[in-house]
């Protein structure tokens, strides 16, 4: 694929005139979601700590009327409040929130050696979803909006030394169905649990590179390939659109090419 991912133009535009905040939206899966929102006719406010990556997105997209960037730390309540305020000032409304920001790596320190500080840092995606939802909800209720939380298949299966990451992603799945009941019928809330998604070409320009994937990497997926950020973006658009998914709330949606359905036996 090209090293500057293009916006996919949907034939229909299910998010036309709708405004979506995407946290961690300047790189990786978050960028894939932000681009999908734009391709579906929506406007997007990217929230990210990486200002270089955020500004690169705006330059490459060249859609100043529909795309904006706000440097934000989702673990800081003051920063989240400023993000919501900036979005309302720029676009006048909030129709969707995608809680994607957090530590990308599942692997960490063994639990016996992990400090409380590291544990709390690795739960930042869960804390961020709480803060962003809390402060965006008044605007979302006004628009009968939707929240999409980006969890992980690690909420359902694990490798050694990934307890904090699994706890964060499992917490997001539980947070999703609890919030869906609290906010229904005014705001729908769903989560997506991605599997293996290759993001090498979806980074800031200085760190962008072609993915190095083997035939075996692709072949171990029942669909025959490793996932791309577009795969998550397409489902996010579906879940954000009231016309496409108005009867879906409180659900986790696994997007992993079928990997979690494979039975694996030791040799």
């Amino acid at each position: 694929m090209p090293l500057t991912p293009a916006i996919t133009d949907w034939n229909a535009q299910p998010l036309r005139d709708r405004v979506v905040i995407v946290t961690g939206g300047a790189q990786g899966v978050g960028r894939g979601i932000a681009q999908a929102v734009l391709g579906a006719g929506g406007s997007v406010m990217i929230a990210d700590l990486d200002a270089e990556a955020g500004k690169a997105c705006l330059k490459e997209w060249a859609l100043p009327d529909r795309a904006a960037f706000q440097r934000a730390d989702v673990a800081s309540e003051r920063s989240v409040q400023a993000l919501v305020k900036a979005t309302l000032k720029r676009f006048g409304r909030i129709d969707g929130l995608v809680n994607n920001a957090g530590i990308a790596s599942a692997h960490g320190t063994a639990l016996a050696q992990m400090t409380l500080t590291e544990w709390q840092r690795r739960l930042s995606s869960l804390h961020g979803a709480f803060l962003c939802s809390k402060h965006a909800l008044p605007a979302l209720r006004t628009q009968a909006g939707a929240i999409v939380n980006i969890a992980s298949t690690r909420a359902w299966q694990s490798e050694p030394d990934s307890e904090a990451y699994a706890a964060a992603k499992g917490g997001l799945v539980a947070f999703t169905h609890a919030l869906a009941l609290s906010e229904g019928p005014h705001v729908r809330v769903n989560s997506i649990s991605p599997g293996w998604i290759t993001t090498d070409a979806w980074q800031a320009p200085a760190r962008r590179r072609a993915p190095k994937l083997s035939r075996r990497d692709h072949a171990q997926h029942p669909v025959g390939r490793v996932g791309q950020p577009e795969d998550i973006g397409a489902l996010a658009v579906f879940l954000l659109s009231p016309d496409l998914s108005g009867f879906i709330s409180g659900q986790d949606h696994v997007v992993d090419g079928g990997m979690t359905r494979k039975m694996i036996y030791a040799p």
Side-chain angles (χ1 to χ4, degrees):
M1 66 175 293
L3 290 188
T4 301
I7 295 173
T8 301
D9 188 17
W10 293 50
N11 292 327
Q13 294 197 319
L15 297 182
R16 179 181 290 276
D17 298 325
R18 301 182 77 80
V19 175
V20 179
I21 296 173
V22 181
T23 69
Q27 301 183 89
V29 167
R31 175 167 176 155
I33 295 169
Q35 290 194 186
V37 169
L38 292 171
S43 297
V44 66
M45 172 64 86
I46 290 178
D48 206 292
L49 276 171
D50 192 327
E52 175 198 354
K55 291 174 183 177
C57 287
L58 299 186
K59 181 178 180 180
E60 291 171 356
W61 295 338
L63 292 170
D65 293 337
R66 295 200 289 125
F69 171 74
Q70 172 83 6
R71 189 178 186 278
D73 178 1
V74 299
S76 162
E77 188 157 19
R78 180 176 296 180
S79 184
V80 168
Q81 288 174 306
L83 166 65
V84 171
K85 183 177 180 180
T87 305
L88 291 172
K89 181 178 180 180
R90 176 67 181 271
F91 297 110
R93 59 192 286 172
I94 300 173
D95 300 273
L97 167 65
V98 179
N99 288 311
N100 168 72
I103 295 175
S105 174
H107 299 286
T109 308
L111 194 67
Q113 284 77 48
M114 183 175 289
T115 65
L116 179 59
T117 298
E118 182 178 354
W119 173 269
Q120 292 172 331
R121 184 174 67 88
R122 286 187 164 271
L123 263 65
S124 60
S125 60
L126 183 55
H127 303 328
F130 154 65
L131 288 173
C132 291
S133 299
K134 172 184 175 181
H135 291 289
L137 273 168
L140 288 167
R141 292 187 194 113
T142 299
Q143 302 298 331
I147 295 173
V148 177
N149 297 316
I150 305 303
S152 169
T153 51
R154 300 305 181 102
W156 306 106
Q157 58 184 23
S158 294
E159 291 180 297
D161 300 330
S162 63
E163 289 84 2
Y165 188 85
K169 297 305 185 179
L172 278 171
V173 172
F175 177 72
T176 294
H177 60 69
L179 188 60
L181 293 183
S182 298
E183 290 301 318
H186 307 294
V187 178
R188 293 181 303 108
V189 188
N190 289 283
S191 61
I192 299 174
S193 285
W196 183 354
I197 307 296
T198 182
T199 61
D200 303 80
W202 296 74
Q203 306 301 318
R207 297 186 292 276
R208 197 172 293 165
R209 63 185 186 277
K212 295 181 179 180
L213 298 167
S214 68
R215 289 184 180 180
R216 183 177 181 182
D217 292 334
H218 292 296
Q220 66 181 301
H221 292 76
V223 300
R225 66 173 177 85
V226 174
Q228 297 284 342
E230 299 104 317
D231 297 314
I232 309 305
L235 181 55
V237 166
F238 174 80
L239 293 173
L240 288 165
S241 169
D243 295 329
L244 298 179
S245 60
F247 197 55
I248 301 175
S249 193
Q251 305 301 312
D252 182 57
H253 304 264
V254 174
V255 184
D256 70 342
M259 280 286 285
T260 54
R261 293 305 187 190
K262 292 177 65 175
M263 294 183 69
I264 299 175
Y265 297 92

